[in-house]
Amino acid sequence: MLDTQLGRDNARVLALISRYLTESPCAVTPESLRELTQDFGLRPEEAFAALLCAWCGLDTAREEDARIYRQYLPRMLHRLRPEDYASDPYLRAVGTPEGEADGFQLEQQRYRPMELFVCDDFRMDAEGRVLPQLGWFDEGFRYPALTERGRVWMTITPNEINTLRPLAEQARGHVLCYGLGLGYYAFHASGQSGVESITVVERSAAVIDLFQRHLLPRFPHGDKLTLVEGDAFTYAADRAPAGRYDTVLCDLWHDAADGIPMYLRMKALEVPGPRYQYWIEPTMQYYLKEAALC
């Protein structure tokens, strides 16, 4: 990273937020937030920012800390409404599916009240500040999850809804999707009038089995879907010639850390013609740009 004050601020914010989310995402409690809002008349967003600031050890009497508090936190933190996400057509259609196959399990997981989580892609302001988007609910929020022997494979949280649904709504023609997961992208893409078919490439037979038995029957446009068991990169190299698909979505990774190598590998396999979409691409492009500047 270039040795600039802005670069140092960006790196510091990302490190602080990563530490909070990893070590203590529920450090801000309903009681502590209520105390600040009632005793000091702060809005919930202001109170949350103040409590997060304190947990991170920021001292606003110091200019460098005050700068982080003023220029970053207000544009990063979002008090979310459960009804805005619970009303998503996918969640309404699939309900609370449960099932198990070869170590994979469909289950329900939960955000606790005030638990902080990533809720959207990185955003950048005009000056180049990186603004990770973080949200919380005042009350608990349940969401579907696909796990493999306890390890999260995919979830349908506000993050997936905010980052995948806009891509699905842009899909047109014959669509190719790398990675099935819980079928969230396929659900919304199949509902688009301009989408004729969706081919989903998924390497795990167990994930396909769970999807076909517990989720696909609840898809109103499931007849548009064709499921292919196979490796996404092999399919991209050998079976996805130019002119066959109009839209290609790649969603094979858990986050940017494991996604960047796969993102670069798939980018190298692009063919002329389709519109390519990559999950959390803005976030990965930020890290790639920073790496190039080092």
Side-chain angles (χ1 to χ4, degrees), residues 142-153:
R142 300 184 70 85
Y143 55 87
L146 175 65
T147 62
E148 181 187 14
R149 296 177 176 85
R151 178 181 181 272
V152 174
W153 186 277

Side-chain angles (χ1 to χ4, degrees), residues 267-281:
K267 289 286 289 183
L269 294 172
E270 288 185 2
V271 296
R275 176 179 185 174
Y276 282 86
Q277 303 173 321
Y278 295 91
W279 183 56
I280 62 168
E281 186 172 29

Side-chain angles (χ1 to χ4, degrees), residues 179-195:
L180 173 59
L182 289 161
Y184 183 81
Y185 176 91
F187 178 95
H188 281 289
S190 65
Q192 303 304 307
S193 60
V195 169

Side-chain angles (χ1 to χ4, degrees), residues 153-169:
W153 186 277
M154 186 179 181
T155 58
I156 306 301
T157 67
N159 188 35
E160 282 78 22
I161 292 171
N162 289 334
T163 55
L164 277 175
R165 185 170 178 179
L167 298 179
E169 292 174 346

